[in-house]
Amino acid sequence: MMSLNELWFLLIAVLFVGFFFLEGFDFGVGMSTTILAKNDTERRVLINSIGPFWDANEVWLITAGGAMFAAFPHWYATLFSGFYTPLVFVLLALIGRGVAFEFRGKVASETWKKTWDIVIFIGSLLPPLLFGVVFACLIQGVPIGEDMNMNAGLFDVVNVYTLLGGITVVVLCLVHGLMFTTLRVLGDLQDRARAMAKKLLIPLAILMVGFTVMTYFNTDVFEVRGTILSIVAVVGVIVYLLAAFFISRKRDGWAFGMTGAIIAISFTSIFIGLFPRVMVSSISDAYSLTLTNAASGQYSLKVMSIIALTLLPFVLGYQIWSYFVFHKRVNAKDHLEY
């Protein structure tokens, strides 16, 4: 039977996977406002395409952090103190991005709009880059001592492996966002989004293969969970080929589902590789944080489980309802406020 520790590890993994699936296309669309859009009207169409969703999608990250704090306080403390600088930049980027969405259309000035367009682009690029770096660090290992404190230098966090992980997540979110765009807009913008996603498939494949190979040599996750990760990798390849097939056939809904599945598989594999650890110590595996030594007491986990299972259906129901209500496509003739 699954223990409460394992249950909460699973729930936190689901929350992070859900965040990257949902906020991933938000990040991709945000980057597309600079990379794909040719004029102000197209930028407004792209921003409006995620207007009803982006803030609700970020709730998944807040919930994951809250669940981590309550269920695994030592994991939360070590992670957030050890990665304080990159996570502060993530927070500032998300704040700036949200402010830019609201302020961009408030003044009829090209300079004003271009300034906020830059903020949207940086606020959409920086979080997936930094999250990719942090998650790569989690499986590569960081210097965690016996006292559970992480004392990492710059090159413990920023190195070839972690940067490759960050860049891979950025490109993956961009492709995912482009496919979301094909579902939300019409005409030339839709065609160009699909064409750009198709062009990015080969670079993305190279990045993902390179990261997987480096993961094999730079971490112990294949040694610890080799069999299941090999199966996941095969499934990932099949899903990737299906994504390419559906994009080439202009089956945008299926293609979006496949790019989302690639994100889900990628981050699920990280949590599979970590289990039963939550953070790997590069000093000694004896100092790694695990589901046991990083967890709250059993009574706390039991109370949290009851509350979570009671409220979760309402939260999921609301978000599904909001996607249903705002499912119509956006075009230049609609009222555009951004």
Side-chain angles (χ1 to χ4, degrees):
M1 183 179 296
M2 180 182 294
S3 69
L4 290 177
N5 302 56
E6 294 169 340
L7 173 64
W8 276 96
F9 178 78
L10 176 62
L11 289 175
I12 290 170
V14 169
L15 288 169
F16 273 112
V17 170
F19 168 73
F20 285 109
F21 181 96
L22 296 171
E23 192 68 2
F25 68 72
D26 281 352
F27 291 144
V29 173
M31 288 184 275
S32 298
T33 58
T34 296
I35 297 173
L36 180 67
K38 291 182 177 180
N39 52 52
D40 181 64
T41 299
E42 290 189 347
R43 278 186 284 275
R44 286 186 291 157
V45 168
L46 289 173
I47 294 171
N48 274 33
S49 72
I50 59 172
F53 311 125
W54 66 267
D55 50 354
N57 292 343
E58 290 181 1
V59 172
W60 286 72
L61 177 62
I62 298 171
T63 307
M68 186 185 296
F69 172 78
F72 300 100
H74 294 298
W75 183 12
Y76 178 92
T78 303
L79 178 68
F80 280 77
S81 61
F83 292 105
Y84 184 83
T85 299
L87 292 179
V88 164
F89 276 104
V90 167
L91 180 62
L92 293 175
L94 292 176
I95 292 173
R97 183 170 172 266
V99 171
F101 286 150
E102 299 298 331
F103 279 22
R104 183 185 184 275
K106 302 303 182 184
V107 178
S109 165
E110 285 302 313
T111 302
W112 175 271
K113 290 182 178 180
K114 287 180 180 179
T115 300
W116 290 116
D117 286 340
I118 293 172
V119 175
I120 290 172
F121 178 74
I122 295 175
S124 300
L125 172 68
L126 206 55
L129 176 65
L130 294 177
F131 274 127
V133 169
V134 169
F135 273 86
C137 284
L138 291 184
I139 57 175
Q140 179 179 242
V142 284
I144 300 172
E146 187 177 6
D147 56 0
M148 295 188 178
N149 287 325
M150 173 181 159
N151 298 295
L154 175 63
F155 296 109
D156 291 315
V157 177
V158 181
N159 50 63
V160 174
Y161 176 70
T162 59
L163 284 176
L164 180 60
I167 294 170
T168 302
V169 174
V170 167
V171 178
L172 183 52
C173 287
L174 177 57
V175 173
H176 191 44
L178 289 168
M179 293 317 304
F180 180 78
T181 298
T182 64
L183 297 177
R184 294 284 290 161
V185 305
L186 295 167
D188 180 60
L189 185 59
Q190 180 191 44
D191 294 335
R192 284 190 282 116
R194 188 185 299 112
M196 182 175 287
K198 188 175 181 180
K199 290 179 181 178
L200 288 173
L201 285 177
I202 293 178
L204 177 59
I206 294 172
L207 288 169
M208 295 190 72
V209 170
F211 183 73
T212 302
V213 171
M214 288 197 70
T215 298
Y216 182 84
F217 290 104
N218 283 46
T219 75
D220 66 352
V221 296
F222 278 95
E223 179 181 344
V224 175
R225 293 282 180 266
T227 301
I228 188 169
L229 285 178
S230 298
I231 295 172
V232 171
V234 172
V235 173
V237 171
I238 294 171
V239 171
Y240 194 92
L241 293 174
L242 286 173
F245 172 79
F246 288 127
I247 291 174
S248 65
R249 294 294 188 275
K250 298 183 180 182
R251 302 288 297 276
D252 299 325
W254 283 99
F256 173 74
M258 292 302 104
T259 57
I262 294 169
I263 290 178
I265 290 169
S266 299
F267 283 94
T268 297
S269 64
I270 291 176
F271 284 99
I272 290 173
L274 280 173
F275 184 84
R277 303 166 297 182
V278 293
M279 289 185 73
V280 177
S281 173
S282 59
I283 298 175
S284 170
D285 195 49
Y287 301 153
S288 295
L289 303 187
T290 68
L291 299 185
T292 302
N293 64 18
S296 293
Q298 290 299 300
Y299 179 75
S300 297
L301 294 176
K302 183 178 180 180
V303 172
M304 288 168 53
S305 300
I306 295 172
I307 295 173
L309 293 175
T310 302
L311 297 179
L312 186 60
F314 296 98
V315 176
L316 292 177
Y318 165 76
Q319 190 146 26
I320 293 170
W321 176 79
S322 67
Y323 275 91
F324 173 76
V325 170
F326 297 105
H327 71 278
K328 291 179 64 177
R329 293 180 184 267
V330 179
N331 59 64
K333 296 180 181 179
D334 292 330
H335 173 66
L336 301 173
E337 60 181 5
Y338 293 109

